[in-house]
Amino acid sequence: MCNKIKGYLKTFLKLRNFILFIVLLSACSNSDELVVVSGNTVVAEVKGVDITVDKLRDEIRFLIMQFRITNKNALSKEEKLLLKVKGLNRVIRNNLLLTEASSSGVFLTRNEYEVAFREIESEYKEDSFLEYLKVQNISHELWKLRLKNNLLINKFINIKFKIKTSGNKIEAKKYYEAHKDRFKKGRMVQASHIMVATEEEAKVVYDAIKSRKKSFSELAKIYSLASEASVGGDLEYFEVDQMPEEFNTISKLKKDQISDVIKTPYGYHVFKIVDIKAPKQLSFLESQDAIYDQFSRNEQSSTFEKWLVELKNNSNIKIDENVLSKISL
């Protein structure tokens, strides 16, 4: 999937896919005790540092965005508890890693932050980024803090657990032969895209497309909030199979066809298929760099996970399950 469409669909967590601990570490309260849960109530303590209910709720907002939960009230009690546990474990993990980064002398430079910020901001047009955050109930300040912390954690991990390129060609060939299905380039589509904020705008745009009084490209330049609006909504080529499930209907379209209006948490979308390329099997030579990279990242991930388990086990972590169970989402 091309970088531009990722702008609306990606979450802002750019860390590697390391293990997410979802098991409660300990309890420090009687489950029958009556607890009044306010934003300042302490739900956990990590090395003497309090984690409040407000901090946990901030993290849960990002999880809701990540999992594309459109109606949190529709979640079961078990699902809500799991969301809270995941959020709390992520806060604990991040607090520990930020402390380790600081004690190791690893810091984020202003330039590193600004480059990453501009890259994300460039995916949006004018105020659409702020509107996106508003829809997700996330303040701009919270998002910026989250970005800084994630960039710092990512930098620390890559320094402490530096990737050593694994270039064993024999093992790579064995892996390729055993997993050929993983090295296919799926059906590629070149599409144009219009994104608007409201259903009313989407209807206006869709009717205008159907009337053919203006081209799709012209309408994208006029109405679209997406960053590619200036080039007529051109998304270039991307793999249909890698699109988020909200856009599954695009895979059924033929060349020059227009999609229906598609509603997502990020806005209302209309696509036009410009060109289609058939799937193809990649050769070993085309795949080997990706295989070497996968080997290296597997080794990095394994080393990091073992270290993180040991770090958690050696840290003084207390969790108040009674408070956790009573927190509303």
Side-chain angles (χ1 to χ4, degrees), residues 187-200:
R187 183 170 178 259
M188 300 289 291
V189 169
Q190 181 185 10
S192 291
H193 168 241
I194 296 174
M195 181 182 76
V196 295
T198 67
E199 187 174 4
E200 291 75 18

Side-chain angles (χ1 to χ4, degrees), residues 174-280:
K174 287 181 181 178
Y175 186 86
Y176 173 79
E177 293 298 332
H179 304 90
K180 273 191 173 181
D181 285 348
R182 298 183 184 179
F183 301 100
K184 289 182 177 179
K185 185 164 283 187
R187 183 170 178 259
M188 300 289 291
V189 169
Q190 181 185 10
S192 291
H193 168 241
I194 296 174
M195 181 182 76
V196 295
T198 67
E199 187 174 4
E200 291 75 18
E201 290 175 292
K203 187 177 186 307
V204 170
V205 169
Y206 194 75
D207 289 344
I209 293 170
K210 290 299 183 181
S211 72
R212 298 188 178 182
K213 291 180 180 178
K214 290 185 182 292
S215 68
F216 194 99
S217 176
E218 289 173 317
L219 292 169
K221 291 177 181 179
I222 296 169
Y223 292 103
S224 184
L225 296 174
S227 60
E228 69 276 1
S230 61
V231 291
D234 183 17
L235 288 171
E236 302 174 350
Y237 283 94
F238 56 88
E239 286 191 49
V240 174
D241 292 343
Q242 293 184 11
M243 295 282 283
E245 61 182 14
E246 292 97 334
F247 301 112
N248 282 346
T249 55
I250 296 173
S251 63
K252 301 174 184 178
L253 299 178
K254 298 178 181 178
K255 186 176 177 179
D256 295 326
Q257 279 192 314
I258 307 294
S259 73
D260 291 331
V261 174
I262 302 171
K263 180 184 177 182
T264 73
Y266 316 96
Y268 294 80
H269 312 258
V270 182
F271 292 84
K272 177 182 178 180
I273 304 303
V274 178
D275 192 26
I276 298 172
K277 291 183 179 179
K280 62 171 283 191

